[in-house]
Amino acid sequence: MSFRTKQTVERVTGGYYDDDGMWHDGEAETIEIIASVQPLNADEKSQYVDMLPEGATNYNAVKIYSNTALQVEKQEQGDIAGQEADILLWRGKRYKIVNCEEWQSNVISHYRMVAWEVGAYGE
């Protein structure tokens, strides 16, 4: 029996600047993945505190295990386009993907992602 279930993810793709320097938002789409979603424990949360503005410590965060890698936010750098982070919809809340680690051991290969609740830290 698998612990993974169908999960919904919001993804924005393909934003661009036109020749006049005006930004055009990308297309929003909803994708489904098969994943296990679990809350972070206190020790795991402490690993990510430094990533939060003002060192906030009171936030909802989850870990996600899946065969599908989810996107984290990337800033635009020169000619390299940026990308928005994927948003996991889980139990009526929205979680922004902040970390994606590739665990490809050829035994139980998967991706381990961390996400925190959108709006939980002033976003």
Side-chain angles (χ1 to χ4, degrees):
M1 179 176 151
S2 174
F3 292 105
R4 296 180 182 180
T5 58
K6 190 181 298 186
Q7 304 294 330
T8 302
V9 174
E10 295 175 349
R11 176 172 285 172
V12 176
T13 58
Y16 67 95
Y17 286 99
D18 65 19
D19 292 337
D20 296 324
M22 299 296 296
W23 175 254
H24 297 272
D25 289 335
E27 297 291 320
E29 64 180 357
T30 300
I31 61 173
E32 290 186 343
I33 65 169
I34 302 298
S36 171
V37 181
Q38 304 161 25
L40 290 182
N41 63 39
D43 289 337
E44 291 169 323
K45 277 187 180 183
S46 69
Q47 295 175 24
Y48 296 95
V49 166
D50 290 339
M51 296 173 67
L52 294 172
E54 293 94 35
T57 59
N58 188 14
Y59 60 94
N60 293 320
V62 295
K63 54 190 168 188
I64 304 136
Y65 296 95
S66 178
N67 289 340
T68 305
L70 297 178
Q71 297 180 163
V72 298
E73 182 175 1
K74 293 184 181 175
Q75 298 296 319
E76 180 178 343
Q77 295 181 359
D79 292 337
I80 301 172
Q83 76 184 22
E84 292 187 37
D86 286 338
I87 302 292
L88 172 72
L89 307 177
W90 188 64
R91 297 193 173 188
K93 296 181 180 177
R94 302 175 79 237
Y95 292 85
K96 179 180 180 177
I97 306 302
V98 296
N99 188 32
C100 180
E101 298 173 342
E102 186 175 8
W103 290 69
Q104 304 298 312
S105 64
N106 297 325
V107 177
I108 304 176
S109 297
H110 64 280
Y111 295 90
R112 180 185 186 273
M113 281 103 17
V114 173
W116 49 61
E117 185 180 352
V118 174
Y121 61 96
E123 182 164 332

